[in-house]
């Protein structure tokens, strides 16, 4: 494995991202400065000191662009503006300036697969009619069957139901996500040129990098006749694994890489070059292609997120992830939580094979998750993740140990998944409940009024205020871990200890830093070395179940 020298985290280092810790801000749920119940950009600015004190290297903002919120902001009506409810471009500039002053890089979300149906392009396409240049920016087709009354193919939306919707003149348009998110046609040069403009727009404003939404979906095989998938399951993504690589009609096609090579030329025009990370639900070596240095540079590793709490499986996925990242010339990425999945303080305690949706529909009762046990495991998982070579993506609130809010009443659900699946899948609102900053107040310090999703009373004890300066709190654990990590970080190497007991993960980053996690049910001896940090108390000098220790030389 390549061992690099000590990373230089100064602002001009072109490799700053390789081992960075990136904090994901979901803007509508982070902090609400104007008291309308929805988080906003000035809310982010006001709380940047929390991120600086935490010790992360960068923040990634989920979309804050104009949007009717049909998909929590991933339905973008204008890629080069700020939603008026969240602020203005001046607010954004002030936020970025303050972040840079505090030594934090800024990454923004780019949503190139689709726009909002409110985007001027889509509105124009609806007016312009079949065969027009405006329609060619999207994927419009005639239907099948008598009078074209059937959708052009059997393709299914990720959110449930057909991926096609009919417009009044009889044509159909493609939407791999919500109907309010029409897919763009990336064969159209105008789309390519416009996204280059968007990359420059934010890069010129000082943005340091981009998180690319649905990076594996842009290139589509739109040659006639369009091919049916014959899929019976709801998401086309599930068929990917069963098809020869690159042959799926709309996911992970080889042509998608031309787009990213084109973007890299734009990103490399800046100093330091702008970074990019692919959100691509693609496995192993295929995923690594997105992370090549002449493309995006990094790709999220969702295989790690999806691995159950099991030492053998985790060791395998860590080894494979490091190998595939190295093959691509990238650094590995690690994610435990984000705005699309059940928070890891709850998820990791669910028995393997649990259907997350069934669990959410049970209000988090079947099976019940003990929050204390869940937090113990989450803290152990976090110290394990933060010891791995590469960059870690931390989702807002995990530094507080927040569990999933599994019992949100269905009347308050906002995620389109709920309605679009005919109220079968509960969706992702349980991990998007606004953050608690204070122990009291109408929304626990999130804002001056009630938050857009109700917070449970238990949030009071997780608030930043309740944990700040409290020895042993999860917030202090993250702060200490990130401070230590910065000091300990050297190369990107990892060596597994040969003598680890079953159920124990033990590896050395280098002589001065080793990480041991006990995933077994029994306490185990702590290997020799100076105890630098533990995720939970050592029991009589032993490493208890669901505990991680960092050891020095
Ligand atoms: C992935 C995003 O993370 C998710 O929240 C969104 O719904 C889809 N892409 C569609 O943009």
């Amino acid at each position: 494995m390549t061992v690099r020298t000590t990373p230089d985290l100064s602002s001009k280092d072109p490799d700053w991202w390789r081992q960075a810790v990136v904090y994901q801000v979901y803007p509508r749920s982070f902090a609400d400065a104007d008291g309308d119940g929805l988080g906003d950009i000035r809310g982010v600015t006001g709380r940047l000191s929390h991120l600086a004190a935490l010790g992360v290297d960068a923040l990634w903002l989920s979309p804050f662009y104009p949007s009717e919120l049909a998909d929590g902001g991933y339905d973008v009506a204008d890629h080069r503006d700020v939603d008026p409810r969240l602020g203005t471009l001046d607010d954004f500039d002030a936020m970025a300036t303050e972040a840079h002053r505090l030594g934090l890089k800024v990454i923004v979300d780019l949503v190139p697969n689709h726009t909002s149906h409110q985007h001027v392009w889509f509105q124009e396409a609806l007016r312009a009619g079949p065969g027009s240049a405006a329609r060619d920016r999207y994927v419009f087709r005639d239907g099948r069957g008598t009078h074209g009354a059937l959708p052009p193919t059997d393709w299914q939306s990720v959110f449930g139901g057909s991926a096609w919707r009919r417009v009044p003149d009889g044509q159909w348009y493609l939407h791999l996500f919500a109907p309010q998110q029409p897919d763009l046609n990336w064969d159209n040069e105008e789309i390519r040129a416009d996204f280059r403009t968007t990359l420059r727009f934010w890069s010129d404003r000082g943005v340091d990098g981009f998180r690319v939404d649905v990076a594996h979906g842009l290139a589509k095989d739109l040659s006639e006749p369009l091919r049916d998938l014959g899929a019976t399951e709801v998401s086309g993504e599930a068929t990917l694994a069963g098809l020869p690589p690159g042959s799926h009609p709309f996911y992970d096609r080889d042509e998608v890489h031309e787009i990213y090579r084109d973007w890299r030329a734009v990103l490399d025009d800046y100093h330091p070059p702008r970074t990019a990370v692919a959100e691509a639900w693609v496995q192993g070596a295929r995923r690594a292609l997105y992370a090549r240095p002449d493309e995006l540079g990094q790709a999220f590793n969702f295989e790690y997120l999806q691995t159950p709490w099991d030492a053998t499986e985790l060791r395998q996925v860590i080894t494979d992830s490091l190998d595939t990242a190295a093959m691509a010339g990238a650094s590995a990425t690690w994610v435990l939580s984000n705005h699309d999945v059940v928070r890891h303080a709850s998820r990791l305690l669910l028995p393997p094979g649990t259907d997350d949706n069934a669990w959410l529909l049970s209000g988090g009762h079947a099976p019940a998750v003990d929050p204390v046990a869940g937090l113990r495991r989450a803290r152990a998982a976090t110290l394990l993740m933060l010891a791995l070579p590469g960059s870690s993506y931390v989702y807002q609130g995990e530094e507080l140990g927040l569990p999933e809010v599994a019992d949100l009443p269905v009347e308050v659900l906002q995620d389109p998944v709920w309605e679009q699946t005919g109220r079968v899948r509960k969706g992702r609102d349980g991990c998007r409940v606004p953050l608690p900053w204070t122990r009291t107040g109408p929304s626990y310090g999130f804002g001056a009024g009630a938050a857009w999703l109700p917070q449970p009373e238990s949030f009071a004890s997780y608030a930043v205020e309740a944990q700040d300066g409290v020895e042993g709190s999860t917030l202090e654990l993250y702060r200490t871990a990130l401070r230590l990590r910065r000091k300990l970080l050297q190369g990107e190497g990892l060596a597994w200890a040969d003598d680890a007991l079953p159920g124990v993960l033990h590896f050395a980053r280098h002589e001065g830093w080793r990480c041991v996690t006990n995933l077994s049910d029994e306490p185990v001896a702590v290997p020799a070395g100076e105890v630098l940090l533990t995720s939970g108390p050592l029991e009589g000098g032993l490493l208890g179940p669901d505990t991680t220790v960092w050891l020095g030389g």
Side-chain angles (χ1 to χ4, degrees), residues 329-494:
S331 61
T333 65
W334 313 103
V335 189
L336 287 170
S337 284
N338 65 30
H339 64 295
D340 288 332
V341 298
V342 171
R343 282 186 178 275
H344 72 275
S346 304
R347 191 189 68 239
L348 289 177
L349 219 59
L350 294 173
T354 304
D355 173 348
D356 287 0
N357 182 51
W359 179 73
L360 288 171
L361 287 171
S362 79
H365 298 301
V369 171
D370 170 10
V372 175
L375 186 55
R376 185 188 314 126
R377 191 168 279 186
R379 290 164 56 113
T382 293
L383 282 202
L384 165 63
M385 172 176 83
L386 292 176
L388 292 171
S391 62
S392 289
Y393 286 78
V394 169
Y395 177 49
Q396 66 177 39
E398 68 170 79
E399 78 280 20
L400 306 177
L402 285 186
E404 180 80 2
V405 183
D407 59 355
L408 282 173
V410 295
E411 309 78 64
V412 305
L413 296 180
Q414 309 275 333
D415 191 347
V417 166
W418 175 242
E419 288 299 337
Q420 240 196 282
T421 56
R423 306 187 172 192
V424 168
R425 276 162 59 201
K426 204 170 170 190
R428 303 158 293 179
D429 291 316
C431 63
R432 299 176 177 181
V433 175
L435 290 193
W437 295 90
T438 54
R439 283 201 202 87
T440 54
S443 51
Y444 303 106
F446 168 68
W452 66 281
L453 276 173
Q455 300 150 298
E457 279 176 18
S458 61
F459 265 33
S461 62
Y462 291 97
V464 174
E465 183 187 46
Q467 301 195 41
D468 186 21
V470 176
E471 204 186 322
S473 71
T474 303
L475 177 58
E476 292 302 337
L477 177 74
Y478 270 75
R479 286 176 177 167
T480 309
L482 292 176
R483 208 171 37 240
L484 258 176
R485 180 188 149 99
R486 230 173 234 258
K487 269 199 351 221
L488 293 168
L489 223 48
Q490 291 187 6
E492 289 179 27
L494 170 152

Side-chain angles (χ1 to χ4, degrees), residues 24 26 60 62 71-75 109 111 113-114 158-159 177-178 181 211 213-214 279 281 338-340 415-417 428 432:
Q24 181 189 355
Y26 191 71
W60 144 38
S62 279
D71 180 19
Y74 284 89
D75 47 318
D109 223 302
V111 189
N113 181 65
H114 42 261
V158 174
F159 291 163
F177 294 87
Q181 292 167 294
R211 176 265 189 195
D213 191 62
V214 201
E279 188 232 11
W281 291 82
N338 65 30
H339 64 295
D340 288 332
D415 191 347
V417 166
R428 303 158 293 179
R432 299 176 177 181

